[in-house]
Amino acid sequence: MPIAAGERLPGVRLTLVRPEGPQTVDSAELFGTGRSVLFAVPGAFTPTCSARHLPGFIEHAARLTELGITRLACVSVNDPFVMAAWAQQAGSGDEILMLADGNGELAAALGLELDASAHGMGRRSQRYAMLIEDGIVGQLWLDPPGTFEASSAAAVIRALETA
């Protein structure tokens, strides 16, 4: 069962992509303070993730900040080197933290795993966006497999504007 609004984000080990190299972080500590949006993609460099999901958050980062978001982060079940290359190619800069969930530990802990074995991609994360306030899930926007709408930057902004 997926994590729900009102539940505390679990603490699992992730790798934060940094200019000076990968840094291990704990998800509960990273998102323990402030108002964050965490969005997950099934895979770096995959078509929808590269053409629409990550670019949408890059494009709308300033608006999300205006709406009180103090931290924007992207997570994928990829290794930190793939995430670093993707961040550089996409031009995510310092506006979006790029997080590698290399073993899928966060996806599993959240109950948001995706079995993409039929496509040769193994276990991945479902596509979602999540509002996290001081370590507590405020809202979860989950896209059904094969779709992209609920977790887009535009949809998150609409939800935050009406909240």
Side-chain angles (χ1 to χ4, degrees), residues 35-57:
R35 194 165 186 237
S36 305
V37 168
L38 171 66
F39 64 99
V41 298
F45 292 109
T46 56
T48 300
C49 305
S50 290
R52 298 172 61 202
H53 207 170
L54 178 58
F57 279 96

Side-chain angles (χ1 to χ4, degrees), residues 73-136:
C74 175
V75 65
S76 183
V77 180
N78 287 109
D79 67 66
F81 306 105
V82 168
M83 292 299 285
W86 193 37
Q88 183 176 14
Q89 182 270 335
S92 63
D94 294 332
E95 295 176 326
I96 299 176
L97 300 177
M98 299 297 278
L99 298 166
D101 183 19
N103 295 324
E105 293 173 24
L106 181 64
L110 295 173
L112 294 170
E113 284 183 300
L114 171 69
D115 185 356
S117 298
H119 307 289
M121 294 174 60
R123 312 271 314 152
R124 296 293 178 132
S125 174
Q126 292 185 51
R127 183 184 306 282
Y128 66 85
M130 177 184 301
L131 174 66
I132 307 165
E133 299 180 270
D134 296 327
I136 306 295

Side-chain angles (χ1 to χ4, degrees), residues 11-67:
V12 298
R13 187 185 63 207
L14 299 171
T15 306
L16 174 62
V17 172
R18 309 283 299 165
E20 61 274 8
Q23 174 188 349
T24 300
V25 296
D26 178 271
S27 57
E29 289 178 20
L30 180 64
F31 297 104
T33 59
R35 194 165 186 237
S36 305
V37 168
L38 171 66
F39 64 99
V41 298
F45 292 109
T46 56
T48 300
C49 305
S50 290
R52 298 172 61 202
H53 207 170
L54 178 58
F57 279 96
I58 293 169
E59 178 183 346
H60 296 291
R63 179 65 184 131
L64 287 158
T65 299
E66 290 171 5
L67 291 168

